């Protein structure tokens, strides 16, 4: 019998997954897996648990992007690179949505039992790792500033409400952006280094994104007037092309460095997959084909 560790965050999303744990466990057992659950509540060390999984066949992570980020970081830190399957049960499930993972227990068990595994890239931001996005600036820390009750009540809408509160008091970031080809110095509202097509409920910022091409998609929005910013976000909401917009910088690379040229204490820390990451300056790299990832058979 194969063994799978099921790591779940009981506080993710609408907090209902803990009530579905038995359904997932029984469905995985019926598919031939011995299930070892692990509850993410801070009482036990996640790193120690993952380090103990060397004889297992797979790891399942139930939660949002932040939960997956925690699991990825410990897998890499302890060199336990088992096939990873994701159960999208958080408020933001950008990565799981990108690969098309099913919400239901049977669909999930079918994906795990089907053994459709690819080697996926991950990103590295200084000494931290991310699977979906690293960014800083306007809107990028909204997920940390929304309390759990608000997320449970409003879902993704809580992020949009909190994000709008930032706009009147935001000061642009003066930065130096260096990649493999050139260096730019400019004022920006935000930057994103993406491993997938989108983040923050905007699923198609990059239409041809790949998690196995060895590249990150880098987007920066220049400091502009509020009307131009509004037009740009209207394009994003309508899933229109934004890369022809003069206020957008876009390139693909496996390396980019972002440095602050002037202090900006409110926005000097990166967000990685919805969690606080390193402070600027930050070196962001693509680590190609680093994590075995279980994906649905329909995934390209």
């Amino acid at each position: 019998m194969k063994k799978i560790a099921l790591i779940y965050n009981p506080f993710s999303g609408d907090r209902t997954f803990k009530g579905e744990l038995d359904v997932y466990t029984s469905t995985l057992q019926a598919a031939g897996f011995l299930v070892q659950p692990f509850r993410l509540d801070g009482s036990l060390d996640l790193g120690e648990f993952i380090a103990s999984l060397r004889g297992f066949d797979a790891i399942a992570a139930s939660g949002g992007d932040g939960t997956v980020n925690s699991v990825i970081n410990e897998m890499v830190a302890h060199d336990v690179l088992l096939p990873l399957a994701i159960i999208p049960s958080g408020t933001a499930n950008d990565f799981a949505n990108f690969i098309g993972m099913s919400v239901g227990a049977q669909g999930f068990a079918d994906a795990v039992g089907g053994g459709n595994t690819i080697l996926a890239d991950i990103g590295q931001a200084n000494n931290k790792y991310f699977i979906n996005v690293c960014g800083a600036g306007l809107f990028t820390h909204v997920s940390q500033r929304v309390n759990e009750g608000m997320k449970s009540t409003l879902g993704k809408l809580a992020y949009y409400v909190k994000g709008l509160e930032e706009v009147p008091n935001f000061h642009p970031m003066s930065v130096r952006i260096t990649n493999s080809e050139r260096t730019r110095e400019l004022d920006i509202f935000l930057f994103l280094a993406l491993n997938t097509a989108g983040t923050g409920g905007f699923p198609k910022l990059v239409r041809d994104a790949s998690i196995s091409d060895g590249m990150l998609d880098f987007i920066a929005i220049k400091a502009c007037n509020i009307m131009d910013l509004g037009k740009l976000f209207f394009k994003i909401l309508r899933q229109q092309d934004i890369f022809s917009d003069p206020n957008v910088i876009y390139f693909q690379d496996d390396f980019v460095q972002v440095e602050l040229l002037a202090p900006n204490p409110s926005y000097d820390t990166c967000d990685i997959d919805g969690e606080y990451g390193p402070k600027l300056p930050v070196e962001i790299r693509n680590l190609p084909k680093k994590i075995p990832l279980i994906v649905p058979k329909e995934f390209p």
Side-chain angles (χ1 to χ4, degrees):
M1 181 175 283
K2 294 182 178 181
K3 294 189 289 184
I4 184 169
L6 175 50
I7 300 167
Y8 70 99
N9 185 345
F11 309 110
S12 285
D14 60 6
R15 307 186 183 192
T16 60
F17 179 80
K18 55 185 179 289
E20 301 173 8
L21 181 60
D22 183 65
V23 176
Y24 274 83
T25 300
S26 62
T27 306
L28 285 167
Q29 285 183 184
F33 286 89
L34 177 65
V35 182
Q36 174 64 61
F38 182 89
R39 186 178 193 268
L40 276 174
D41 60 6
S43 60
L44 295 174
D45 185 83
L46 175 62
E48 289 184 8
F49 176 72
I50 287 179
S52 72
L53 300 178
R54 298 186 189 280
F56 277 63
D57 297 283
I59 296 173
S62 170
D65 293 328
T67 300
V68 178
N69 178 273
S70 297
V71 173
I72 288 287
N73 271 270
E74 297 298 346
M75 288 174 64
V76 176
H78 294 280
D79 196 29
V80 180
L81 302 180
L82 297 171
L84 174 67
I86 300 170
I87 302 170
S89 61
T91 304
N93 304 293
D94 294 315
F95 187 80
N97 291 339
F98 178 77
I99 62 175
M101 283 302 291
S102 171
V103 177
Q106 189 59 59
F108 178 78
D110 289 345
V112 174
N116 188 17
T117 303
I118 65 169
L119 288 175
D121 303 343
I122 62 172
Q124 181 175 1
N126 290 355
N127 63 343
K128 296 289 186 179
Y129 303 97
F130 62 94
I131 198 164
N132 193 61
V133 63
C134 171
L138 185 64
F139 303 143
T140 56
H141 293 303
V142 166
S143 59
Q144 293 97 25
R145 293 169 182 168
V146 177
N147 65 51
E148 293 296 333
M150 190 175 181
K151 284 196 285 188
S152 295
T153 304
L154 298 178
K156 284 185 180 179
L157 181 60
Y159 294 148
Y160 302 138
V161 171
K162 200 69 176 178
L164 289 174
E165 293 178 4
E166 291 192 10
V167 176
N169 301 312
F170 181 77
H171 299 288
M173 304 165 62
S174 182
V175 298
R176 179 185 296 117
I177 300 171
T178 304
N179 70 337
S180 300
E181 296 184 353
R182 61 175 292 187
T183 297
R184 303 169 173 88
E185 293 186 1
L186 71 164
D187 291 342
I188 63 172
F189 282 140
L190 65 88
F191 75 83
L192 302 169
L194 289 161
N195 191 35
T196 67
T199 183
F202 304 120
K204 295 182 180 179
L205 290 173
V206 183
R207 296 186 181 279
D208 298 321
S210 169
I211 55 172
S212 55
D213 62 355
M215 292 288 179
L216 296 166
D217 292 274
F218 185 88
I219 301 170
I221 297 179
K222 299 177 185 178
C224 57
N225 65 57
I226 194 69
M227 288 187 65
D228 287 341
L229 182 63
K231 291 176 183 177
L232 180 55
F233 276 98
F234 185 70
K235 288 181 182 178
I236 293 173
L237 286 169
R238 297 192 65 180
Q239 298 184 7
Q240 296 175 339
D241 172 59
I242 62 170
F243 300 139
S244 59
D245 192 295
N247 292 308
V248 174
I249 294 172
Y250 169 74
F251 58 79
Q252 285 188 315
D253 208 328
D254 60 0
F255 165 80
V256 61
Q257 181 182 58
V258 182
E259 306 165 80
L260 277 178
L261 298 179
N264 195 331
S266 297
Y267 295 93
D268 64 354
T269 303
C270 291
D271 172 282
I272 52 172
D273 296 337
E275 303 294 318
Y276 283 115
K279 285 185 173 292
L280 297 172
V282 61
E283 287 190 1
I284 307 170
R285 300 180 183 277
N286 179 285
L287 304 182
K289 299 184 179 354
K290 184 70 174 179
I291 296 288
L293 184 70
I294 296 173
V295 295
K297 62 181 180 180
E298 300 85 7
F299 185 73

